[in-house]
Amino acid sequence: TSSNNVREGILVGCGNPLLDISANVPMNFLDRYQMKEDDAILAEDRHMPIYRELVDGYQAEFLAGGSVQNSLRIAQWILGQPRVAVFFGCVGEDDYAQRLKEKAAAAGLDVHYQVNRGQPTGTCAVLITGTHRSLCANLAAANHFTIDHLEQPANKALVDNAKYYYISGFFLTVNPPSIMHVAETAHAKQRPFLMNLSAPFISQFFMAPLMAAMPYVDIIFGNEAEAHAFATGQGWPTDDLREIGKRIVGLEKLNPSRPRIAILTQGCDPVLLIQKDSVEEFPVTRLAVHEIVDTNGAGDAFVGGFLSQFVQGKSLDVCIRCGNYAAGHIIQNPGCTYSGSPQFVE
Ligand code: AP5
Ligand code: NA
C-alpha cells in the first residue's frame, strides 16, 4: 500500500481492549444462559462459566476484539502506514494482554495500555448460532481504566497531539470522566469528536453519561437497533430511522459551526448519512450467504474504514464507501479480522 502521508498519532481512541473467545454453539447453549441470538450484554455472575465452557467444549477461537480497538486496527490496515492511530484501554498482566498487544502491533496500531495487576484482561464471548452472534463481555481489567492514565505526561502529549478522537458508547460503562476529558480537549482545539451508540443497553442504562457527552459529538455512529433504543430512551414517538437520525443531529451541540452528523448502518440495506437538512443513502454490496463467514465486527470495521479516510480529510462520501468496503471484507473473515492487502478504490 502506498503511504497516505497522514502523520503519526493523528487519531486517538479509548475503549475496552477485549480478547474475543468465539465459537459456534447450539441454541440451547444460549437458552441455558438466558441469552438471545443477537444480544450484546455485560457478563453477570451467572455468565462467568461461559468462557471456560467455550474453551473446553466448543473449539473456541481467540481473536483480538474490543470495539474501538477493532475499528482502529481496521483503519490501520487500510492506511498501511503504522502508528497513525493510538489506543488507550486497560488490560491485566497476562497472556491475553500479550496476544492483544501482538495483534495490535501487527496491524500497526500504537497501543498504550494501562495495566491493572489485580484483574485479568477482559474477554468477550462470541456465541455464533448460524448467521447470528451473541456477545457477552466480561470487562474485568478493562473496567478499571482510570483518567490518571490519560494524565500521565507521555499519554497527555498523545491526546493533545491528535486531531481526531473516537470513543465507543461501550466505554460509558467504564469511565465517563475520561470520555468528558477527551471530549473537552477535542472541543477546546476545535477538533472532531466521534462516538458510537455501540449497543442498545447503552441507551437503556447509560443514557445520562451518553447525553452528557452528546453536546461534544460531531459524528455519531449506530445501527438500527441502537438508534431505536436511543429513540425509546429519549421518549421519541417514532420508529422511522430517518426521523430518529434527524432528531439526533438536532440535539444540543456545543460547537454549532460544525453541525452534528449521524451515520446509521442497517446491515445489507443502505447506510444513512443524516445531516441537518438532508438524508443520503449509500448502497451496500450484498454478499451471498456462502460468502459470509460471520458478521461479527461488521459495525466496527465500518467505522474503521470510515476513519481511515476521514483522517485523510476525504469527503464523507468516500469515508462511507470505505466503511462499507471494510465491513464487507471483515464479514468474509472470522471475527474482526482481515486477510491480504486492502483493495479499496476511492
Ligand atoms: P459486533 O457488535 O458483532 O460487531 P459490530 O462491529 O457492531 O457488528 P454487527 O454485526 O453487530 O454489525 P452492526 O449491526 O453494528 O452493523 P450492521 O449490521 O448495520 O461486535 C463485535 C465486537 O464488539 C467484539 O470484538 C467484542 O469484543 C466487542 N464488544 C462487545 N461488547 C463490548 C464492550 N462492552 N466493550 C467493548 N467492546 C465490546 O452492518 C454494518 C455494515 O456492515 C453495513 O453498513 C455493511 O457495510 C456491512 N454489512 C452488514 N451486513 C452485510 C451483508 N449481509 N452483506 C454485505 N455487507 C453487510
Ligand atoms: Na467477521
Side-chain angles (χ1 to χ4, degrees):
T1 22
S2 62
S3 170
N4 295 293
N5 292 317
V6 278
R7 67 168 165 79
E8 282 188 9
I10 203 170
L11 171 62
V12 156
C14 300
N16 303 324
L18 305 178
L19 189 68
D20 289 353
I21 303 181
S22 173
N24 288 296
V25 297
M27 262 319 281
N28 67 25
F29 188 104
L30 296 184
D31 296 340
R32 271 198 285 121
Y33 288 101
Q34 292 154 45
M35 290 178 65
K36 296 190 291 286
E37 56 185 8
D38 280 312
D39 263 348
I41 60 169
L42 292 179
E44 295 166 30
D45 286 343
R46 66 194 165 90
H47 298 111
M48 290 307 171
I50 288 182
Y51 307 90
R52 187 75 267 156
E53 207 182 327
L54 289 179
V55 174
D56 289 347
Y58 294 89
Q59 294 168 311
E61 249 191 297
F62 290 88
L63 298 161
S67 180
V68 171
Q69 194 173 234
N70 283 342
S71 295
L72 298 186
R73 280 191 301 107
I74 299 305
Q76 280 294 157
W77 171 62
I78 292 177
L79 282 160
Q81 182 188 330
R83 304 163 74 87
V84 171
V86 172
F87 176 76
F88 296 109
C90 188
V91 294
E93 195 175 39
D94 51 25
D95 172 54
Y96 285 5
Q98 206 47 42
R99 289 191 199 212
L100 285 181
K101 213 173 216 168
E102 279 161 18
K103 294 287 182 198
L109 176 59
D110 189 17
V111 297
H112 294 263
Y113 293 141
Q114 185 173 24
V115 178
N116 184 304
R117 294 193 168 77
Q119 296 284 332
T121 296
T123 50
C124 182
V126 179
L127 310 173
I128 300 173
T129 49
T131 57
H132 298 276
R133 62 94 190 102
S134 198
L135 307 172
C136 184
N138 174 23
L139 298 182
N143 210 20
H144 294 265
F145 187 88
T146 54
I147 193 166
D148 47 285
H149 188 62
L150 297 180
E151 285 163 350
Q152 300 207 348
N155 294 338
K156 186 179 182 307
L158 288 167
V159 174
D160 286 342
N161 180 46
K163 232 180 118 182
Y164 301 90
Y165 302 88
Y166 176 59
I167 302 188
S168 62
F170 283 130
F171 204 55
L172 289 163
T173 78
V174 171
N175 200 266
S178 292
I179 299 179
M180 296 309 287
H181 171 73
V182 172
E184 277 156 16
T185 304
H187 178 63
K189 296 175 185 287
Q190 304 268 321
R191 294 169 181 176
F193 180 69
L194 291 73
M195 275 195 86
N196 201 308
L197 295 174
S198 291
F201 83 83
I202 297 299
S203 289
Q204 284 156 7
F205 306 116
F206 297 87
M207 187 58 104
L210 175 57
M211 288 309 282
M214 192 60 85
Y216 294 89
V217 176
D218 293 295
I219 300 185
I220 184 98
F221 297 97
N223 67 21
E224 287 170 280
E226 292 151 12
H228 288 303
F230 185 82
T232 303
Q234 290 292 313
W236 291 341
T238 177
D239 18 84
D240 180 83
L241 215 54
R242 288 169 173 71
E243 176 63 22
I244 293 169
K246 282 189 181 169
R247 286 175 181 246
I248 292 175
V249 304
L251 290 168
E252 188 206 334
K253 189 159 187 308
L254 270 175
N255 179 353
S257 71
R258 195 161 54 207
R260 185 180 299 109
I261 293 166
I263 296 172
L264 302 179
T265 61
Q266 345 178 52
C268 56
D269 290 329
V271 175
L272 302 179
L273 166 62
I274 298 144
Q275 306 189 74
K276 197 160 137 271
D277 301 310
S278 68
V279 179
E280 282 170 80
E281 290 192 356
F282 294 81
V284 168
T285 308
R286 198 175 288 244
L287 292 165
V289 176
H290 73 268
E291 294 174 298
I292 299 178
V293 174
D294 67 61
T295 62
N296 189 30
D300 295 340
F302 175 87
V303 172
F306 182 98
L307 289 171
S308 73
Q309 305 304 303
F310 194 61
V311 299
Q312 298 179 64
K314 299 283 168 72
S315 68
L316 291 172
D317 171 272
V318 173
C319 297
I320 291 173
R321 281 193 286 110
C322 191
N324 282 334
Y325 162 75
H329 179 91
I330 262 62
I331 288 172
Q332 298 173 68
N333 287 278
C336 195
T337 65
Y338 48 80
S339 53
S341 307
Q343 306 291 330
F344 176 64
V345 273
E346 209 181 303

